[in-house]
Amino acid sequence: MKPARSPALVFIFITLLIDVTGLGIIIPVMPRLIQELTGGTVAEAATFGGWLVAAYAITQFFCAPVMGGLSDRFGRRPVLLASLFGFGLDYLFLALAPTYGWLFVGRVIAGAMGASFTTAGAYIADISTPETRAQNFGIIGAAFGLGFILGPVIGGFLGALGPRTPFYAAATLTFLNWLYGYFILPESLKPENRRRFEWKRANPAGTLLRLWQYPVIAGLLLALALVYISSHAVQSNWSYYTIEKFGWSEKLIGISLGVVGIVFAFVQGFLIRKIIPAWGQERSVYAGLALYAAGFLLYAFATQSWMMYAFTVVYCLGGIAGPALQGIMSSAVPPNAQGELQGGFTSLMSLASIIGPPLMNNLFAFFTDTDAPVYFPGAAMLLGAVLTLISTLLARRTLKSYLAAKKET
């Protein structure tokens, strides 16, 4: 079993790496493109950017459970290929957009088809044992990290050629990824583990409510939701924050995100394989969330550019919490519901992305506006720290009850 499993992990890793690189390419230039189309300030561009992310998230919130259910019925491969094709179309719309409204069209298309990480999570669950599942979920984070080494750096340099150039590059890369998946990626879901597609299970509320039947899922989903919302203090806000506070260019933004990617990839691809088996999943969750909170606080009060690089180490070490949480929840559901569980994760991420970007970006815009009662660009990151601490308390309470009940049985 082990020799057959390793190539499949390599395939899914490369597919996700190319996918994330395409996403990362556009980040450094998005503020300038929005400013070009709206004629607004950085604070106003941050507000518009937050609503763009929310438009993507709203669509994905409703469509991700459908894609997760379809992957449980027809297999992971066709759903993943459809998702990649949708992302390619999105980048073309963004590259050719004549007005700000067209950016929404592209984001809606991407949201409707955006199930690559949902399906990848189910794919990894298919080919993993309960003992290796948490570590293998780290491959998603490693691909995310390495993609953010390559993508933003490429995007930062391509941005010098114009704010639309990186979008053409992202579209090309994504369609090449689609071709790669079409010819190389094997199917992972065995016929005996497939289930009928049911509309009542393929809706965001139904999926999340059905997952509620598992004792450990409910509390950890709430904890994870707060982590996802808080993460947008960095994910959706980084470019605007560093432009406003430090006057960074697209090139510097790209390089900084490349550094984030290097550290994150090291944590996800190597460190968690040492830490999670040594510490256990529960302790890894607590340690990771505490480090996330510390990272937010350090970012919020950074006063010089070099601090953003130094504090990235603390923030990225918090990445051990995600795979540990996923491993615990994945072990609590049967094999034929792994796609549904990953669809639930994506729906939760989408729900957080409906709330997080407008909340964090508007908070940033409010405290950087000329009429702000106090000028404090780090307000969103301070809120991220508070939400992460609340998430830690929820996770602790849930895991304590779950593990106590498990011992009794």
Side-chain angles (χ1 to χ4, degrees), residues 224-247:
L224 204 55
L226 290 176
V227 172
Y228 288 156
I229 291 171
S230 66
S231 71
H232 285 283
V234 172
Q235 290 178 17
S236 300
N237 216 28
W238 183 272
S239 298
Y240 306 102
Y241 178 73
T242 53
I243 289 171
E244 174 68 25
K245 193 164 186 177
F246 305 112

Side-chain angles (χ1 to χ4, degrees), residues 71-283:
S71 79
D72 281 340
R73 172 63 182 88
F74 298 105
R76 318 305 184 196
R77 185 176 182 274
V79 174
L80 185 59
L81 292 176
S83 173
L84 295 176
F85 196 80
F87 270 121
L89 291 178
D90 167 47
Y91 295 135
L92 285 179
F93 268 94
L94 295 176
L96 299 169
T99 64
Y100 175 69
W102 281 96
L103 298 181
F104 274 96
V105 176
R107 294 281 76 191
V108 167
I109 292 173
M113 303 300 292
S116 58
F117 281 88
T118 301
T119 313
Y123 194 109
I124 290 170
D126 292 340
I127 60 175
S128 301
T129 65
E131 293 76 22
T132 62
R133 192 166 283 153
Q135 295 95 305
N136 287 343
F137 275 130
I139 286 175
I140 297 178
F144 191 89
L146 286 174
F148 266 88
I149 296 169
L150 300 173
V153 174
I154 294 170
F157 280 93
L158 289 178
L161 303 176
R164 296 176 186 268
T165 305
F167 294 93
Y168 287 112
T172 302
L173 200 59
T174 304
F175 284 126
L176 287 174
N177 190 14
W178 181 85
L179 287 173
Y180 169 82
Y182 183 83
F183 288 106
I184 301 297
L185 192 68
E187 180 55 64
S188 65
L189 185 63
K190 296 177 182 179
E192 61 268 25
N193 287 333
R194 301 187 184 191
R195 64 173 177 85
R196 289 190 305 115
F197 178 80
E198 301 175 70
W199 279 108
K200 66 181 180 180
R201 295 178 66 171
N203 65 82
T207 298
L208 292 174
L209 287 173
R210 188 171 179 85
L211 292 175
W212 231 252
Q213 68 180 297
Y214 305 105
V216 72
I217 296 296
L220 293 185
L221 281 177
L222 289 174
L224 204 55
L226 290 176
V227 172
Y228 288 156
I229 291 171
S230 66
S231 71
H232 285 283
V234 172
Q235 290 178 17
S236 300
N237 216 28
W238 183 272
S239 298
Y240 306 102
Y241 178 73
T242 53
I243 289 171
E244 174 68 25
K245 193 164 186 177
F246 305 112
W248 284 7
S249 64
E250 287 93 345
K251 183 178 177 181
L252 279 175
I253 293 169
I255 291 172
S256 70
L257 289 171
V259 171
V260 173
I262 291 172
V263 180
F264 196 74
F266 174 75
V267 172
Q268 297 291 316
F270 173 75
L271 204 57
I272 64 166
R273 293 179 176 270
K274 305 293 184 182
I275 290 178
I276 292 178
W279 291 2
Q281 292 179 341
E282 184 186 5
R283 288 178 63 191

